Amino acid sequence: MEHLNDVRNLIKYHGQVEREVYLDLENSTPLPSEVLQEMLPYFTSKAYGNPTLTHKQGWEAYETIMDAAGFITRLIGGSSAEELCFTSGEAEANSLAIFGTVGKKNGRIVVSAADPLNILLPVEKLEKKGFEVVRVPVDPEGFINLEALAKAVNKNTVLVSTSMVNNEIGTIQPFREIVKTVREANPDVTIHMDASDAYGRISFNVKDIDVDLLSLSSYKIMGPRGVAALYVKSGVEVERIIEGPIGTQALWPGVENTPLIVGFKKASELAFKDFDGNVSRMRKLRDMLMKGLLSIEDTLLNGPVGDKRAPDNVNISFLHCEGEALTIELSFKGVYVSSGSACTRRILQPSHVLTAIGREYEAAHGSILMKVSRYHSSEDIKYVLECFKPAVERIRAMSPTRRI
Amino acid sequence: MEHLNDVRNLIKYHGQVEREVYLDLENSTPLPSEVLQEMLPYFTSKAYGNPTLTHKQGWEAYETIMDAAGFITRLIGGSSAEELCFTSGEAEANSLAIFGTVGKKNGRIVVSAADPLNILLPVEKLEKKGFEVVRVPVDPEGFINLEALAKAVNKNTVLVSTSMVNNEIGTIQPFREIVKTVREANPDVTIHMDASDAYGRISFNVKDIDVDLLSLSSYKIMGPRGVAALYVKSGVEVERIIEGPIGTQALWPGVENTPLIVGFKKASELAFKDFDGNVSRMRKLRDMLMKGLLSIEDTLLNGPVGDKRAPDNVNISFLHCEGEALTIELSFKGVYVSSGSACTRRILQPSHVLTAIGREYEAAHGSILMKVSRYHSSEDIKYVLECFKPAVERIRAMSPTRRI
Amino acid sequence: MSRSPLPYSRKILELFRNPKNLGRMEDATVSATAGSPACGDMIAFYLKIDENTVITRASFESYGCAANIATASMLTEMVEGKKLEEAWRIGWKDVANEVGGLPAVKFHCGVLAVGALRRAIREFFRRKGFKPEWMPEKETFEEKQALEEEELSKIISQRLTLGGGEK
Amino acid sequence: MSRSPLPYSRKILELFRNPKNLGRMEDATVSATAGSPACGDMIAFYLKIDENTVITRASFESYGCAANIATASMLTEMVEGKKLEEAWRIGWKDVANEVGGLPAVKFHCGVLAVGALRRAIREFFRRKGFKPEWMPEKETFEEKQALEEEELSKIISQRLTLGGGEK
Ligand SMILES: Cc1ncc(COP(=O)(O)O)c(C=O)c1O
Ligand SMILES: Cc1ncc(COP(=O)(O)O)c(C=O)c1O
Ligand code: FES
Ligand code: FES
């Protein structure tokens, strides 16, 4: 672990900064202290038992967990707390929805080409095992092609798994139409939607959408990591992917993580308390950030604008400017963002979402993904904009490509 | 969710108690504040990024996680931090070890009849899919029958999965002999051990044991829930059970839960800092509790005594006394324990471990499982003993069985 | 195989802590048991019956869970002062309602209590040498369950299996 | 497909922040590029070479990651004052060592820098119209990689695939 010293040096190499603005909410989140405060007693002194045990600490845990499940289920319009299964994260929720649905069946699985990797990779694994996978194309703004979807769903189709809002470019999919299109093509298909980037930011109702399975993430609404949920419409059968003695969660064995679940509930509460206020606040910050960055020359917006775009998402390509270098340059100023550049990926391929919307490698190479939250201020955004200009300039100045 | 009001009333029904002693460490744990304190900054202000991102918060997370992985790997005698894969719990670690090993292979899987359910249930699922499963019997103290094990492992055997210390009755298995026996019978078998009830309580070294896969639990050493680890000896191949973009954990996709991993490390540190002192302290409390309870008439000790028993485990059957009723009676006094009674189980079968060691249903019916930790005092144990006597008496007084 | 969350009602806990009519009745007119220690749960029911077939006193003993204790206790209160015919008509669901509901996994505990009561009533008439009209020839659900308590756990476990092949 | 943790050395960050010999050299004796913007990474290398085939100045431009910038910068420093023959002998591992090591996924960035340098040296002799003895006929690893930068990502991705079929 010699290289850990490198990392320590590298962290030290960051000096004092005027301000820290964390916009990399796609990949993780610092927990707001109001959420942490709510969780604290559950770690050490409250409801710390196993919810299946017949003693006070167990009953308290049971009450706490079922209350949270009921609360979250109501927010998405479900019927009962039993429809919600807490998991350890969005990836597990999506794997559970996908692997747990197809089980012994066989046939075709339909996804969109711009879905998150925790949909595309489980499906790819099933493809290797003999399932047929159709990846429906998206248009240049990331919207799924409904005609192609209608054609993709045939009588052999067992599952459609797709996302409600694109996690990289913020495209709000026509999710009601997606479900209608699929049901018309084949009413027996199980429909799974990953709503992790929609929950708390756009309003929806599972009954209205008529979806069978729906994933929700906690950290994506500023709740703790390590917890997420899969909504399973009553009557829909899903097989567990982890086996063990089950407690309150029919599809997840293991000791329920009461403090994290409490945090997930609290974050949900805060996101929905003044939903419209929160959303318009985010949208304002988003547009301020977007406008400021697009005023830099040679930039491209990735994804749609206005109401068709998630209120928190900003994704912009800076041409002639490699993205990973830019994330590092910005880090030195306390601004934390991520990039879809091939240089940031283990396999050195650019973001599959940017590829799916038809972006050239060059555009992906300079792409930066950011998300704003209600915890950000316009001062934060102003600071970010101040930092971006010189950062982009410095990285661009190193590049030989502008003259080519 | 009407019944949630019942639960709330039921919690209120508990009055003030003189003292609360939580001995149900098998099923959950309150987090010691020294562990929580260590975790706190990582929630809100430190290393809160995704460890695969090229910015300060990401690098800090990377450093923190790899440091913890290295620390824990060294404690168990592994070679490198890359051998440790953090998971969301013991159940996931065991499912990963089992499902991830057998993959496309086919053949025989060998377990012990007294293994934890998160070994037995995944294996049962594979049995339904066509694998042959052999459940090696244990003796009346819970020790695996090595001769039967030797016979069970044949040339078709692909996996032996078993526990190092029995989680219900504390039997410390002859784990070196288990591995030797298996390797002699078939050197190609993958050997998995669940060390969740051994880690921090008995000393072992993965190289010395020569095991391929080994599960470790965080909450079982008073760390946070929602994190555990699977040690994978380098060179041993395991397939993921959850698919998604991988980061620092080759076998677990999802955003690494830095605060929980920090808590797991801290709990490990505390358990190993004064290992012998901790163990002898636990052993003293265990023996005090055991001796006191066995002085009540019509009691049976489940599992071995002395050095052959885990230092924290106490499991005693109170004949003519239904266990679930006893856990509730004790709860009203602030003493939290669990029972292997059929009445506590969803399928109304008594603990499979007690059945495996040949206990009659009646003995299982009145069994109580407790674990002590270094956080307990002899005053706690004294209080527990004071509570037990009248509790057992009151429950027994209701029973018609004594006269039969 | 797993534990089950048991959101008992407050009434169950109250009766568990302060059961009514607990204990063997030495001068009982008739008594019966249901279940057996070998299979786990067991209940004993004692009745004092007057010349008008009115239950003047009832008591119970239990080797079972809190739900078992509470439903048995509740049942002793429900039958006191009732004619045997009325007492017979009390089903396990009535008892369950009286204690504020039972968790699904605990239905059988109420069933066991009613089974023991009905057995005692049958025994009373068996000794008297006649079978009243209102008493069915065939065993009722609760009695059958009591008889088959040894196999009950298996039956219940099948019924309760949640989607996904839990054992 | 996934992100990769990048524990860069402090030296890499230093050179990233304060690169040496950055920028186009208008009076270069020879220059070469490796990679192309269409496939992602690209590097340009400029050399000023005196009559004794000694490199008197070197500079670079980079359209790539921090490792790319740092290794290119380091390489310009390493070659300065060296004869072309000596400069040719510098392999990508030497550069990687000088910057304090490279994360596995970033090896190719160092390769690209060396590839560009060697291309420039070859170009120098091509123009001179002769091939010195020490210069191999066949392309070296670094040059081949540079040539095949379009396909490099695939090659690297295969090499780096961790057990479990990650895409
Ligand atoms: C009694 C008991 N111990 C331990 C565990 C493991 O829990 P986790 O996977 O949350 O570590 C479980 C659940 O599988 C359990 O029921
Ligand atoms: C970018 C990104 N977002 C979200 C997730 C989901 O993380 P988790 O499963 O921890 O919720 C992952 C990992 O799968 C990820 O890489
Ligand atoms: S230049 Fe793309 S990874 Fe270094
Ligand atoms: S008596 Fe066993 S569950 Fe109620």
Side-chain angles (χ1 to χ4, degrees), chain D residues 39-100:
Chain D
C39 73
D41 318 326
M42 185 180 176
I43 206 163
F45 221 86
Y46 304 89
L47 299 178
K48 184 81 187 163
I49 302 167
D50 73 7
E51 55 285 1
N52 301 317
T53 71
V54 169
I55 298 170
T56 55
R57 271 188 296 135
S59 77
F60 79 99
E61 290 176 295
S62 160
Y63 176 50
C65 71
N68 187 306
I69 294 163
T71 49
S73 169
M74 178 53 76
L75 191 56
T76 60
E77 294 188 277
M78 287 168 81
V79 298
E80 247 177 53
K82 282 211 173 59
K83 292 201 75 164
L84 289 178
E85 179 175 0
E86 291 171 283
W88 181 274
R89 292 221 183 87
I90 298 170
W92 71 271
K93 282 184 195 157
D94 303 318
V95 187
N97 283 339
E98 284 299 312
V99 296

Coordinates of all heavy atoms in Angstrom, one line a residue, chain D residues 39-100:
Chain D
C39 N -9.9 10.5 -30.9 CA -10.0 9.3 -30.1 C -9.7 9.7 -28.6 O -9.7 8.8 -27.7 CB -8.9 8.3 -30.5 SG -7.3 8.8 -30.0
G40 N -9.6 11.0 -28.4 CA -9.4 11.4 -27.0 C -8.0 12.0 -26.8 O -7.9 13.2 -27.2
D41 N -7.1 11.3 -26.3 CA -5.8 11.9 -25.9 C -4.9 12.3 -27.1 O -4.9 11.6 -28.1 CB -5.1 11.0 -25.0 CG -6.0 10.3 -24.0 OD1 -6.9 11.0 -23.5 OD2 -5.8 9.1 -23.7
M42 N -4.2 13.3 -26.9 CA -3.2 13.7 -27.9 C -2.0 14.5 -27.3 O -2.2 15.2 -26.3 CB -3.9 14.6 -28.9 CG -3.0 15.0 -30.0 SD -3.8 16.0 -31.2 CE -2.5 16.3 -32.4
I43 N -0.9 14.3 -27.9 CA 0.3 15.0 -27.3 C 1.2 15.5 -28.5 O 1.2 14.9 -29.6 CB 1.1 14.0 -26.4 CG1 1.9 14.7 -25.4 CG2 2.0 13.1 -27.3 CD1 2.4 13.8 -24.3
A44 N 1.8 16.6 -28.3 CA 2.7 17.2 -29.3 C 4.0 17.4 -28.7 O 4.1 17.8 -27.5 CB 2.1 18.5 -29.9
F45 N 5.1 17.0 -29.4 CA 6.4 17.1 -28.8 C 7.3 17.9 -29.8 O 7.3 17.7 -31.0 CB 7.0 15.7 -28.7 CG 7.8 15.5 -27.4 CD1 7.1 15.1 -26.2 CD2 9.2 15.7 -27.3 CE1 7.8 15.0 -25.0 CE2 9.8 15.6 -26.1 CZ 9.2 15.2 -25.0
Y46 N 8.1 18.9 -29.2 CA 8.9 19.8 -30.0 C 10.4 19.6 -29.6 O 10.6 19.7 -28.3 CB 8.5 21.2 -29.9 CG 7.0 21.4 -30.2 CD1 6.1 21.3 -29.3 CD2 6.7 21.8 -31.5 CE1 4.7 21.5 -29.6 CE2 5.3 22.0 -31.9 CZ 4.4 21.8 -30.9 OH 3.0 22.0 -31.2
L47 N 11.3 19.5 -30.5 CA 12.7 19.4 -30.1 C 13.6 20.4 -30.9 O 13.4 20.7 -32.1 CB 13.3 18.0 -30.5 CG 12.6 16.8 -29.8 CD1 13.3 15.5 -30.3 CD2 12.8 16.9 -28.3
K48 N 14.5 21.0 -30.2 CA 15.5 21.9 -30.8 C 16.8 21.1 -30.7 O 17.2 20.7 -29.6 CB 15.6 23.2 -30.0 CG 16.6 24.2 -30.7 CD 15.9 24.9 -31.8 CE 17.0 25.8 -32.5 NZ 16.5 26.2 -33.9
I49 N 17.4 20.7 -31.8 CA 18.5 19.8 -31.9 C 19.7 20.5 -32.5 O 19.6 21.2 -33.5 CB 18.1 18.6 -32.7 CG1 16.9 17.9 -32.1 CG2 19.3 17.6 -32.8 CD1 16.3 16.9 -33.0
D50 N 20.9 20.4 -31.8 CA 22.0 21.1 -32.4 C 22.8 20.2 -33.4 O 22.4 19.1 -33.6 CB 22.9 21.7 -31.3 CG 23.7 20.6 -30.5 OD1 23.7 19.4 -31.0 OD2 24.3 21.0 -29.5
E51 N 23.9 20.7 -33.9 CA 24.7 20.0 -34.9 C 25.2 18.7 -34.4 O 25.5 17.8 -35.2 CB 25.8 20.9 -35.5 CG 26.7 21.5 -34.5 CD 26.2 22.7 -33.7 OE1 25.0 23.0 -33.9 OE2 26.9 23.2 -32.9
N52 N 25.4 18.6 -33.1 CA 26.0 17.3 -32.5 C 24.9 16.3 -32.1 O 25.1 15.4 -31.3 CB 26.8 17.6 -31.3 CG 28.0 18.5 -31.6 OD1 28.6 18.3 -32.7 ND2 28.2 19.5 -30.8
T53 N 23.7 16.5 -32.7 CA 22.5 15.8 -32.3 C 22.2 15.8 -30.8 O 21.8 14.8 -30.2 CB 22.5 14.3 -32.8 OG1 23.5 13.6 -32.1 CG2 22.8 14.2 -34.3
V54 N 22.5 16.9 -30.2 CA 22.2 17.1 -28.8 C 20.9 17.9 -28.7 O 20.7 18.9 -29.5 CB 23.3 17.8 -28.0 CG1 22.8 18.2 -26.6 CG2 24.5 16.9 -27.9
I55 N 20.0 17.5 -27.9 CA 18.7 18.2 -27.7 C 19.0 19.4 -26.8 O 19.3 19.2 -25.6 CB 17.6 17.3 -27.1 CG1 17.3 16.1 -28.0 CG2 16.3 18.1 -26.8 CD1 16.5 15.0 -27.4
T56 N 18.8 20.6 -27.4 CA 19.1 21.7 -26.5 C 17.9 22.2 -25.8 O 17.9 22.8 -24.8 CB 19.7 22.9 -27.4 OG1 18.9 23.1 -28.5 CG2 21.1 22.5 -27.9
R57 N 16.7 22.0 -26.5 CA 15.5 22.4 -25.8 C 14.4 21.4 -26.2 O 14.4 20.8 -27.3 CB 15.0 23.8 -26.3 CG 15.6 24.9 -25.4 CD 15.0 26.3 -25.7 NE 15.3 26.7 -27.1 CZ 14.5 27.2 -28.0 NH1 13.2 27.3 -27.7 NH2 14.9 27.5 -29.2
A58 N 13.4 21.2 -25.4 CA 12.3 20.3 -25.7 C 11.0 21.0 -25.1 O 11.1 21.6 -24.1 CB 12.5 18.9 -25.1
S59 N 9.9 20.9 -25.8 CA 8.7 21.3 -25.2 C 7.5 20.4 -25.7 O 7.7 19.6 -26.5 CB 8.4 22.8 -25.6 OG 7.9 22.9 -26.9
F60 N 6.4 20.6 -25.0 CA 5.2 19.7 -25.4 C 3.9 20.5 -25.3 O 3.8 21.6 -24.7 CB 5.2 18.6 -24.4 CG 4.6 18.9 -23.0 CD1 3.3 18.6 -22.7 CD2 5.3 19.6 -22.1 CE1 2.7 19.0 -21.5 CE2 4.8 20.0 -20.9 CZ 3.5 19.7 -20.6
E61 N 2.9 19.9 -25.8 CA 1.5 20.3 -25.6 C 0.7 19.0 -25.3 O 1.1 18.0 -25.8 CB 0.9 21.0 -26.8 CG 1.6 22.4 -27.1 CD 1.0 23.0 -28.4 OE1 1.3 22.4 -29.4 OE2 0.3 24.0 -28.3
S62 N -0.3 19.2 -24.6 CA -1.1 18.0 -24.2 C -2.6 18.2 -24.3 O -3.1 19.3 -23.8 CB -0.7 17.5 -22.8 OG -1.7 16.7 -22.3
Y63 N -3.3 17.3 -24.8 CA -4.8 17.3 -24.7 C -5.1 15.9 -24.1 O -5.5 15.0 -24.7 CB -5.4 17.3 -26.1 CG -6.9 17.2 -26.2 CD1 -7.7 18.0 -25.5 CD2 -7.4 16.4 -27.2 CE1 -9.1 17.9 -25.6 CE2 -8.8 16.3 -27.3 CZ -9.6 17.0 -26.5 OH -11.0 16.9 -26.7
G64 N -4.8 15.9 -22.8 CA -4.9 14.7 -22.0 C -5.0 14.9 -20.6 O -5.1 16.0 -20.1
C65 N -4.9 13.8 -19.8 CA -5.1 13.9 -18.4 C -3.9 14.4 -17.7 O -2.8 14.6 -18.3 CB -5.5 12.5 -17.9 SG -4.1 11.4 -17.9
A66 N -3.9 14.5 -16.4 CA -2.8 15.0 -15.6 C -1.6 14.1 -15.7 O -0.5 14.6 -15.8 CB -3.3 15.0 -14.1
A67 N -1.8 12.8 -15.9 CA -0.6 11.9 -16.1 C 0.1 12.2 -17.4 O 1.3 12.1 -17.5 CB -1.1 10.5 -16.0
N68 N -0.8 12.5 -18.4 CA -0.2 12.8 -19.7 C 0.6 14.0 -19.7 O 1.7 14.1 -20.1 CB -1.5 12.9 -20.6 CG -1.1 13.1 -22.1 OD1 -0.3 14.0 -22.4 ND2 -1.7 12.3 -22.9
I69 N 0.0 15.1 -19.0 CA 0.7 16.3 -18.9 C 2.0 16.2 -18.1 O 3.1 16.6 -18.5 CB -0.2 17.4 -18.2 CG1 -1.4 17.7 -19.1 CG2 0.6 18.6 -17.8 CD1 -2.6 18.3 -18.5
A70 N 2.0 15.5 -17.0 CA 3.1 15.3 -16.1 C 4.2 14.5 -16.8 O 5.4 14.8 -16.7 CB 2.7 14.7 -14.8
T71 N 3.9 13.4 -17.5 CA 4.9 12.6 -18.1 C 5.5 13.3 -19.2 O 6.8 13.2 -19.4 CB 4.4 11.2 -18.5 OG1 3.2 11.4 -19.3 CG2 4.1 10.3 -17.4
A72 N 4.7 14.0 -20.0 CA 5.3 14.8 -21.1 C 6.3 15.8 -20.6 O 7.4 16.0 -21.1 CB 4.2 15.4 -22.0
S73 N 5.8 16.5 -19.6 CA 6.6 17.6 -19.0 C 7.9 17.0 -18.5 O 9.0 17.5 -18.7 CB 5.9 18.3 -17.8 OG 6.7 19.1 -17.1
M74 N 7.8 15.9 -17.8 CA 9.0 15.2 -17.2 C 10.0 14.8 -18.4 O 11.2 15.0 -18.3 CB 8.6 14.0 -16.4 CG 9.7 13.2 -15.8 SD 10.9 14.1 -14.8 CE 9.9 14.3 -13.3
L75 N 9.4 14.3 -19.4 CA 10.2 13.8 -20.5 C 11.0 15.0 -21.2 O 12.1 14.8 -21.5 CB 9.3 13.1 -21.6 CG 10.0 12.3 -22.7 CD1 11.0 11.3 -22.1 CD2 9.0 11.7 -23.6
T76 N 10.4 16.1 -21.3 CA 11.1 17.3 -21.9 C 12.3 17.6 -21.0 O 13.4 17.9 -21.5 CB 10.2 18.6 -22.0 OG1 9.8 18.9 -20.7 CG2 9.0 18.4 -22.9
E77 N 12.1 17.5 -19.7 CA 13.3 17.7 -18.8 C 14.4 16.7 -18.9 O 15.6 16.9 -18.9 CB 12.8 17.8 -17.3 CG 11.9 19.0 -17.1 CD 11.7 19.2 -15.6 OE1 10.8 18.5 -15.1 OE2 12.4 19.9 -14.9
M78 N 13.9 15.4 -19.1 CA 14.8 14.3 -19.1 C 15.7 14.3 -20.4 O 16.8 13.9 -20.4 CB 14.1 13.0 -19.0 CG 13.5 12.7 -17.7 SD 12.3 11.3 -17.7 CE 13.5 9.9 -17.7
V79 N 15.1 14.8 -21.5 CA 15.9 14.8 -22.7 C 16.8 16.0 -22.9 O 17.8 15.9 -23.7 CB 15.0 14.6 -24.0 CG1 14.2 13.3 -23.9 CG2 14.1 15.8 -24.1
E80 N 16.6 17.0 -22.2 CA 17.3 18.2 -22.5 C 18.8 18.0 -22.2 O 19.2 17.5 -21.1 CB 16.8 19.4 -21.6 CG 16.2 20.5 -22.5 CD 15.7 21.7 -21.8 OE1 16.4 22.2 -20.9 OE2 14.5 22.0 -22.0
G81 N 19.7 18.3 -23.2 CA 21.1 18.1 -23.0 C 21.6 16.7 -23.4 O 22.7 16.4 -23.4
K82 N 20.6 15.9 -23.7 CA 21.0 14.5 -24.1 C 21.2 14.4 -25.6 O 20.5 15.1 -26.4 CB 19.9 13.6 -23.7 CG 19.9 13.2 -22.2 CD 19.4 11.8 -21.9 CE 19.6 11.4 -20.5 NZ 18.9 12.3 -19.5
K83 N 22.0 13.5 -26.0 CA 22.2 13.2 -27.4 C 20.9 12.4 -27.8 O 20.3 11.7 -27.0 CB 23.4 12.4 -27.7 CG 24.7 13.1 -27.5 CD 25.9 12.5 -28.2 CE 25.8 12.8 -29.7 NZ 27.1 12.5 -30.4
L84 N 20.6 12.5 -29.1 CA 19.4 11.8 -29.5 C 19.4 10.3 -29.2 O 18.4 9.7 -28.8 CB 19.2 12.0 -31.0 CG 18.8 13.4 -31.4 CD1 18.7 13.5 -33.0 CD2 17.5 13.8 -30.8
E85 N 20.6 9.7 -29.3 CA 20.8 8.3 -29.0 C 20.4 8.0 -27.6 O 19.6 7.1 -27.3 CB 22.2 7.8 -29.3 CG 22.4 6.4 -28.9 CD 23.8 5.9 -29.3 OE1 24.6 6.6 -29.8 OE2 24.0 4.7 -29.0
E86 N 20.8 8.9 -26.7 CA 20.5 8.7 -25.2 C 19.0 8.9 -25.0 O 18.3 8.1 -24.3 CB 21.3 9.7 -24.4 CG 22.7 9.5 -24.3 CD 23.4 10.7 -23.6 OE1 23.6 11.7 -24.2 OE2 23.7 10.5 -22.4
A87 N 18.5 9.9 -25.7 CA 17.1 10.3 -25.5 C 16.2 9.1 -26.0 O 15.2 8.8 -25.4 CB 16.7 11.5 -26.3
W88 N 16.6 8.5 -27.1 CA 15.9 7.4 -27.6 C 15.7 6.2 -26.6 O 14.7 5.5 -26.6 CB 16.6 6.8 -28.9 CG 15.9 5.7 -29.5 CD1 16.0 4.4 -29.2 CD2 14.9 5.8 -30.6 NE1 15.1 3.6 -30.0 CE2 14.4 4.5 -30.8 CE3 14.3 6.9 -31.3 CZ2 13.5 4.2 -31.8 CZ3 13.4 6.6 -32.3 CH2 12.9 5.3 -32.5
R89 N 16.8 6.1 -25.8 CA 16.8 4.9 -24.9 C 15.8 5.1 -23.7 O 15.6 4.1 -22.9 CB 18.2 4.7 -24.3 CG 19.2 4.3 -25.4 CD 20.1 3.2 -24.9 NE 21.0 2.9 -26.0 CZ 22.2 3.5 -26.2 NH1 22.6 4.5 -25.4 NH2 22.9 3.2 -27.2
I90 N 15.3 6.3 -23.5 CA 14.4 6.5 -22.4 C 13.0 5.8 -22.7 O 12.4 6.0 -23.8 CB 14.1 8.0 -22.2 CG1 15.4 8.7 -21.8 CG2 13.0 8.2 -21.1 CD1 15.3 10.2 -21.8
G91 N 12.7 4.8 -21.9 CA 11.4 4.1 -22.1 C 10.3 4.7 -21.2 O 10.6 5.5 -20.4
W92 N 9.1 4.2 -21.5 CA 8.0 4.8 -20.7 C 8.1 4.5 -19.3 O 7.6 5.3 -18.4 CB 6.6 4.4 -21.3 CG 6.2 2.9 -21.1 CD1 6.5 1.9 -21.9 CD2 5.5 2.4 -19.9 NE1 6.0 0.7 -21.3 CE2 5.4 1.0 -20.1 CE3 4.9 3.0 -18.8 CZ2 4.8 0.2 -19.2 CZ3 4.3 2.2 -17.9 CH2 4.2 0.8 -18.1
K93 N 8.7 3.4 -18.9 CA 8.8 3.0 -17.5 C 9.8 4.0 -16.8 O 9.6 4.3 -15.6 CB 9.3 1.6 -17.4 CG 8.2 0.6 -17.6 CD 8.7 -0.8 -17.3 CE 7.6 -1.8 -17.9 NZ 8.2 -3.1 -18.2
D94 N 10.8 4.4 -17.5 CA 11.7 5.4 -16.9 C 11.0 6.7 -16.6 O 11.2 7.2 -15.5 CB 12.9 5.7 -17.9 CG 13.6 4.4 -18.3 OD1 13.9 3.6 -17.5 OD2 13.9 4.3 -19.5
V95 N 10.2 7.1 -17.5 CA 9.4 8.3 -17.3 C 8.5 8.1 -16.1 O 8.3 9.0 -15.2 CB 8.6 8.8 -18.5 CG1 8.0 10.1 -18.3 CG2 9.5 8.8 -19.7
A96 N 7.8 7.0 -16.1 CA 6.8 6.7 -15.1 C 7.5 6.7 -13.7 O 7.0 7.3 -12.7 CB 6.2 5.3 -15.3
N97 N 8.7 6.1 -13.6 CA 9.5 6.1 -12.4 C 9.8 7.6 -11.9 O 9.7 7.9 -10.8 CB 10.8 5.3 -12.5 CG 10.5 3.8 -12.4 OD1 9.5 3.4 -11.9 ND2 11.4 3.0 -12.9
E98 N 10.2 8.4 -12.9 CA 10.6 9.7 -12.6 C 9.5 10.5 -12.0 O 9.7 11.4 -11.2 CB 11.2 10.5 -13.8 CG 12.6 10.1 -14.2 CD 13.6 10.4 -13.1 OE1 13.6 11.5 -12.6 OE2 14.4 9.5 -12.8
V99 N 8.3 10.3 -12.4 CA 7.1 11.0 -11.9 C 6.6 10.4 -10.6 O 5.5 10.7 -10.2 CB 6.0 11.2 -12.9 CG1 6.5 12.1 -14.1 CG2 5.4 9.9 -13.4
G100 N 7.3 9.3 -10.1 CA 6.8 8.7 -8.9 C 5.8 7.6 -9.1 O 5.0 7.3 -8.2

